[in-house]
Amino acid sequence: MSRNDVDSATGQNSSVNRIDQYRRHFVGGSIAAAAGLALAPGLILNSVQAKPDDQAVSNKNRWGLLIDTSKCAEGCTDCVTACNKKHGLNPVHGELTDAQWIRHVTLKNKQTGHQIDMPMMCQHCEFPPCVDVCPTGASFKRKDGIVLVDKHICIGCRYCMMACPYKARSFVHEAHTDQVPDAPRGKGTVESCTLCVDMIDRGDGTTACAEACTSGAILFGDLNDSNSEISRRLSSEGGRQLRAELSLNTGVRYQGL
Amino acid sequence: MKNLRYTTIEGNSPRFLGLLAIYGFFLLLGFYAFVTMEHEGHWITGMTNQVIWGLPHVFAIFLIVAASGALNVASIASAFNKSFYKPLAKLSAVLAIALLAGGLIVLLLDLGRPDRLIVAITYYNFKSIFAWNIILYSGFFAIVGVYLWTMLDWQVEKYKRIAGTAAFIWRLILTTGTGSIFGFLVARQGYDEAILAPMFVIMSFSYGLAIYLLVLMATYKWTGRELGDAVINRLQNLLGVFVAATLYFAAVYHLTNLYITEHHGFEAYILRDGGLITNMFWYGQIVFGSLLPLALVYCPRPAKSRLAVVVASILVILGGMAALYVILIGGQTYPMTLVPGYEASSSFSDGVIASYSPSKWELMLGLGGVAVALLIVTFGMKLFSLLPESLSDKVTNPHKS
Amino acid sequence: MNIRRLPRLLLTATLLLWSIGSYAAGNYSGPDRDENGNIVPTPKGEKCVEPTDVIRANHMKFLLHQRDQTMHKGIRTKQHSLKECINCHATPDENGKIARVFDEDSKHFCASCHQAASVKLDCFECHTDRPEDAFSLQKLPADHAMSERLAPAASRKPHVVLNSQGQQDEQK
């Protein structure tokens, strides 16, 4: 990537920002390349480009995940472990009150016994009920489709947790001092999967769960880019939304349901 | 009816001070619970990531719903111009303000970040029903406050009718808003039904009146004033109508669900298999909360038996708490369907009935809210001349006796 | 009280409060320093992202502005980023220990000032008070793919010490 590309793309002249941009491109590009080599040699998985630090996200992108449940192994929790590790979600007072941004769900058909294993997380709806009900606007959707909680203005009323059809949100039930730099979280506020927003902004082109999934069941990509791997696979193979009857247009799609 | 003398309660007797001491005790308990929950975080309460709103919300929503119902007596007097109810109107308005304050304080102190009250006021998402309710609640205080002023100050008395009508309309919207908190939730099986909004309105009529009756009877008994049968009879008949109407709405709500196959699982849980929830429904809400009070109110009984009215009112209140427990906790413990036809299981209580056991902290906080409400009413009666010195039959209904 | 005196009274009160406030601000001693006058814990960079008086008076405004920019728009410039403040200022002491904000009589850069000035500091109820280096070194196993991703981030220098040659440094 040449210096001119970046300049013309952003019109930015600050030398400081330019340096950041170069590094972003360099880091993001090398990771994408490494991931491409590791997962599928000869195939370019992501055409994700790093966004300059000082540029706001836009609705040009819509980030999402495609989950192929047929590749999801029974009892495998690699994605869960990776998510917990990346976001510093350490066990505290047990399953009922600890935060679970992503969880392994096993579905069993009541008649046939057919079993499906899959990860569940925030589905990053286009029309998120949690955003509708939030009294302060703390629950919001970024322009690029990522649904987040602004914990600075979250009052901890938990109405979003009542409204979420996927039970994707957790309440921080106790004080913490072991947070990691990219995942601030604190007592009395609600939180959920951020789609690894810090990695996306850095241009990593993947999420912790997708990166950790060795069977390739989780694919991250841009749903708005018709050339992205995720869009091509969705158009050729299809993919379903969970609770599609609610017409929320989720950013996370499933195959093999 | 013309020359009623309204007076404050005297407020020095050992009984009054004892009452204050009891309120103070529960107030302190509630405050202690709040401080402890704030310090430790909510993990010490019964709430989990599955049952998000617990016992404090049962108390809070009960008090808020009852608040708008308590205004009923005043509404009948001012908005519908029934002079019989006029002597009862002032207490009705103060009780409404008191109950709302008690409910809101519980709601506020159960927030994850109650210290951010200022954020709740300054940041608004106008699509949120919660945000609407914040406006509705503050408006209720203001409008009922003005209404009370028109009743206490003869100089502004001419605006009483308008203020009373405004308060009546506002309280209808307010309870609709409270019911819509649940009625507009698509996520869960037990909610997502618009009937919840009118159901909450009719519930408020009945719970608010039951509380009003108890407060009225206690005040007249403890201050040695005369309270005639005419007042009691009218109010208890009204209570009967409201209880029956509540029962009707509950029946329609469950019959709708029973007809729709998708909701059969939820209904089986509430009506048959839910254990505590099922008992709360049948015994709490239906038998002891509705049928028995109806019998007590309408069945022939020895004349002037006040005890039956007292028991009926207490049962309506307890039944109302049970009904809200069923709606709130039952609605949350029943699992969501992720993929139709499939049973889910996970580390996050997917596909199973979630457990909820309320903690002592939540109970203490809830009772603290009740104490706040009663404290405001009691002080209100000491500060303002809310009630006539006598409500004997001769005073209220001179033509009949 | 004569109502016409009210504006003058308000003005007097405002002036009084303002002068008390500026006196208190002027008297404020700033961060902890050792006997040579150097700030402890020693910051990593050579100088702050803003002149000292500006950052001292306005750091909360910068952080608040940046907070909304980052949260809602994904703008992650480093100049006023809390993370970079911490990366630069939360450094190990001579024993290799990084002071924590919630320690009693904390030596943490933010906490030592805020405790002295009695201003409540609630950033760290959610944000970590430790620099990124502390995490990449201790917590993540080397064989994990994530340490590969975090390593370049952790070795990033605070933005002030970057100059136009920084680009070459990174690409080595």
Side-chain angles (χ1 to χ4, degrees):
Chain A
M1 177 132 331
S2 80
R3 165 173 251 169
N4 288 337
D5 280 351
V6 178
D7 276 348
S8 60
T10 63
Q12 252 298 336
N13 288 322
S14 148
S15 65
V16 170
N17 285 326
R18 227 179 283 149
I19 292 158
D20 282 349
Q21 286 162 16
Y22 290 138
R23 186 171 43 239
R24 291 288 135 109
H25 282 276
F26 168 70
V27 174
S30 61
I31 296 298
L37 282 174
L39 292 177
L43 189 82
I44 297 166
L45 271 181
N46 291 298
S47 57
V48 179
Q49 289 207 337
K51 169 185 78 64
D53 277 348
D54 56 348
Q55 201 177 77
V57 293
S58 76
N59 54 10
K60 235 169 54 195
N61 310 102
R62 171 140 196 245
W63 304 114
L65 296 171
L66 177 61
I67 293 162
D68 185 350
T69 60
S70 65
K71 291 184 187 157
C72 199
E74 188 180 344
C76 168
T77 53
D78 285 355
C79 53
V80 180
T81 314
C83 176
N84 290 346
K85 189 179 260 178
K86 174 177 184 286
H87 300 109
L89 310 178
N90 301 319
V92 201
H93 293 114
E95 233 168 43
L96 286 174
T97 51
D98 285 354
Q100 298 190 35
W101 294 10
I102 181 171
R103 60 189 194 264
H104 177 120
V105 174
T106 304
L107 295 167
K108 203 167 222 145
N109 191 300
K110 287 177 202 163
Q111 284 161 15
T112 63
H114 175 238
Q115 188 177 316
I116 299 170
D117 287 272
M118 62 175 202
M120 271 286 289
M121 68 290 276
C122 171
Q123 303 287 302
H124 297 281
C125 309
E126 186 187 357
F127 306 105
C130 58
V131 174
D132 288 345
V133 302
C134 177
T136 66
S139 193
F140 73 102
K141 191 184 66 169
R142 252 175 39 152
K143 283 218 169 111
D144 56 359
I146 304 176
V147 177
L148 295 171
V149 182
D150 183 348
K151 288 167 198 168
H152 306 105
I153 55 171
C154 172
I155 56 172
C157 73
R158 288 107 75 189
Y159 197 13
C160 57
M161 299 175 73
M162 292 291 283
C164 176
Y166 308 101
K167 276 201 317 188
R169 290 204 159 164
S170 298
F171 180 75
V172 184
H173 282 74
E174 60 282 295
H176 288 267
T177 53
D178 55 353
Q179 295 94 336
V180 296
D182 283 320
R185 52 193 301 263
K187 182 181 75 181
T189 56
V190 175
E191 58 185 14
S192 59
C193 157
T194 64
L195 209 62
C196 289
V197 65
D198 53 306
M199 293 171 72
I200 291 177
D201 285 348
R202 193 158 50 213
D204 287 4
T206 185
T207 61
C209 54
E211 196 175 56
C213 183
T214 47
S215 59
I218 307 178
L219 173 68
F220 168 83
D222 186 354
L223 297 167
N224 274 1
D225 174 5
S226 54
N227 287 321
S228 67
E229 168 83 358
I230 192 170
S231 297
R232 278 186 281 137
R233 271 186 56 194
L234 275 170
S235 91
S236 63
E237 302 161 19
R240 273 184 56 184
Q241 306 177 42
L242 287 180
R243 302 193 74 175
E245 80 279 7
L246 299 176
S247 304
L248 303 173
N249 191 11
T250 57
V252 178
R253 303 297 173 98
Y254 289 83
Q255 292 179 337
L257 288 186
Chain B
M1 288 281 276
K2 279 269 145 75
N3 299 315
L4 288 176
R5 246 168 62 90
Y6 290 85
T7 49
T8 58
I9 54 171
E10 145 261 9
N12 288 316
S13 65
R15 181 175 271 144
F16 181 80
L17 297 174
L19 211 54
L20 287 194
I22 295 171
Y23 298 157
F25 173 72
F26 281 104
L27 215 61
L28 281 179
L29 270 191
F31 186 72
Y32 176 57
F34 158 66
V35 171
T36 313
M37 279 162 64
E38 249 313 274
H39 182 72
E40 295 285 333
H42 275 68
W43 74 275
I44 59 163
T45 71
M47 89 157 270
T48 61
N49 285 326
Q50 311 303 325
V51 180
I52 298 140
W53 289 348
L55 198 57
H57 286 77
V58 174
F59 272 97
I61 291 171
F62 177 82
L63 288 171
I64 291 168
V65 164
S68 78
L71 193 65
N72 254 7
V73 177
S75 299
I76 298 171
S78 299
F80 299 104
N81 213 15
K82 298 271 185 254
S83 58
F84 179 87
Y85 291 91
K86 280 185 179 159
L88 306 169
K90 294 173 190 172
L91 174 66
S92 164
V94 170
L95 185 60
I97 290 177
L99 289 171
L100 185 65
L104 286 184
I105 203 136
V106 176
L107 210 56
L108 172 73
L109 297 185
D110 189 59
L111 289 178
R113 300 289 310 240
D115 53 318
R116 289 186 180 162
L117 179 63
I118 193 75
V119 172
I121 296 164
T122 49
Y123 287 79
Y124 260 98
N125 168 24
F126 283 99
K127 205 182 171 187
S128 165
I129 296 163
F130 248 25
W132 303 350
N133 276 327
I134 295 173
I135 297 171
L136 289 172
Y137 298 149
S138 353
F140 188 83
F141 281 126
I143 291 177
V144 178
V146 169
Y147 177 35
L148 188 65
W149 178 31
T150 63
M151 287 192 285
L152 291 171
D153 185 351
W154 60 269
Q155 285 179 305
V156 288
E157 207 190 345
K158 55 177 180 266
Y159 301 110
K160 192 163 77 179
R161 185 88 195 270
I162 301 171
T165 310
F168 175 66
I169 294 171
W170 195 269
R171 58 128 353 252
L172 285 183
I173 302 173
L174 182 138
T175 330
T176 307
T178 313
S180 306
I181 290 177
F182 303 95
F184 290 6
L185 283 183
V186 292
R188 289 165 197 268
Q189 293 260 332
Y191 308 142
D192 189 19
E193 318 235 9
I195 196 180
L196 283 170
M199 187 166 126
F200 268 60
V201 174
I202 208 74
M203 279 156 73
S204 83
F205 284 5
S206 133
Y207 309 158
L209 187 58
I211 296 177
Y212 183 89
L213 255 169
L214 284 180
V215 171
L216 185 74
M217 291 168 83
T219 310
Y220 273 74
K221 189 163 174 64
W222 291 341
T223 53
R225 302 183 186 192
E226 200 182 338
L227 179 62
D229 283 334
V231 173
I232 297 288
N233 285 341
R234 285 241 191 161
L235 291 181
Q236 72 161 15
N237 284 340
L238 207 54
L239 184 68
V241 173
F242 292 158
V243 169
T246 309
L247 206 54
Y248 164 78
F249 269 88
V252 173
Y253 167 76
H254 287 288
L255 283 173
T256 313
N257 276 345
L258 282 171
Y259 196 85
I260 302 169
T261 312
E262 184 196 347
H263 294 314
H264 285 179
F266 176 72
E267 284 303 317
Y269 170 61
I270 298 290
L271 303 181
R272 194 185 63 208
D273 311 325
L276 178 70
I277 293 287
T278 303
N279 287 335
M280 282 267 201
F281 177 77
W282 286 115
Y283 296 114
Q285 185 179 344
I286 304 298
V287 176
F288 288 103
S290 305
L291 298 178
L292 194 56
L294 275 180
L296 284 170
V297 165
Y298 286 127
C299 285
R301 60 170 195 274
K304 294 187 181 176
S305 162
R306 295 280 165 91
L307 185 65
V309 183
V310 172
V311 172
S313 299
I314 292 175
L315 284 177
V316 167
I317 291 170
L318 294 178
M321 296 283 289
L324 283 170
Y325 194 93
V326 171
I327 293 175
L328 262 107
I329 310 297
Q332 291 177 81
T333 42
Y334 188 75
M336 298 178 192
T337 310
L338 288 178
V339 179
Y342 282 82
E343 251 162 19
S345 60
S346 76
S347 58
F348 207 58
S349 304
D350 284 296
V352 296
I353 304 288
S355 61
Y356 173 72
S357 38
S359 65
K360 60 179 177 208
W361 308 112
E362 292 162 286
L363 184 66
M364 281 155 67
L365 185 61
L367 291 174
V370 176
V372 167
L374 292 176
L375 191 67
I376 294 175
V377 178
T378 314
F379 259 112
M381 285 196 265
K382 187 170 160 53
L383 284 179
F384 303 109
S385 307
L386 297 180
L387 286 167
E389 280 189 333
S390 169
L391 278 172
S392 66
D393 292 349
K394 224 187 266 170
V395 177
T396 54
N397 220 352
H399 306 298
K400 241 184 168 179
S401 56
Chain C
M1 192 187 76
N2 190 337
I3 195 79
R4 265 176 271 169
R5 281 195 203 152
L6 195 65
R8 199 189 297 172
L9 193 76
L10 281 177
L11 186 71
T12 319
T14 315
L15 281 174
L16 197 70
L17 279 175
W18 179 71
S19 49
I20 291 172
S22 46
Y23 174 78
N27 258 3
Y28 174 57
S29 60
D32 286 359
R33 288 172 192 276
D34 62 14
E35 58 274 17
N36 303 322
N38 298 319
I39 294 171
V40 285
T42 321
K44 258 187 174 176
E46 283 154 26
K47 65 180 177 59
C48 188
V49 293
E50 298 286 349
T52 308
D53 53 334
V54 174
I55 196 79
R56 192 175 288 173
N58 294 322
H59 62 279
M60 58 303 237
K61 289 181 200 154
F62 294 144
L63 287 170
L64 191 69
H65 179 72
Q66 178 79 13
R67 162 195 122 174
D68 292 337
Q69 295 286 307
T70 307
M71 188 78 231
H72 292 266
K73 296 184 185 161
I75 291 173
R76 291 180 189 260
T77 49
K78 298 215 178 119
Q79 187 169 4
H80 296 146
S81 139
L82 177 65
K83 196 163 84 177
E84 298 301 332
C85 296
I86 294 301
N87 281 346
C88 188
H89 279 291
T91 53
D93 59 14
E94 59 269 26
N95 305 322
K97 245 190 94 188
I98 297 169
R100 303 295 305 266
V101 161
F102 295 112
D103 290 347
E104 207 160 301
D105 195 21
S106 174
K107 296 284 176 236
H108 188 280
F109 179 77
C110 304
S112 62
C113 279
H114 273 258
Q115 280 174 4
S118 299
V119 179
K120 191 174 179 254
L121 178 61
D122 63 357
C123 301
F124 302 104
E125 283 172 32
C126 289
H127 290 272
T128 182
D129 52 354
R130 291 178 289 184
E132 284 174 291
D133 309 11
F135 291 87
S136 58
L137 297 178
Q138 295 165 7
K139 287 216 161 174
L140 300 169
D143 60 343
H144 195 269
M146 230 181 329
S147 56
E148 205 182 302
R149 180 175 57 71
L150 272 179
S155 64
R156 268 181 223 155
K157 293 170 197 137
H159 117 101
V160 273
V161 295
L162 284 179
N163 47 40
S164 54
Q165 272 81 50
Q167 175 205 350
Q168 268 95 40
D169 293 346
E170 290 297 330
Q171 297 207 347
K172 263 174 216 164

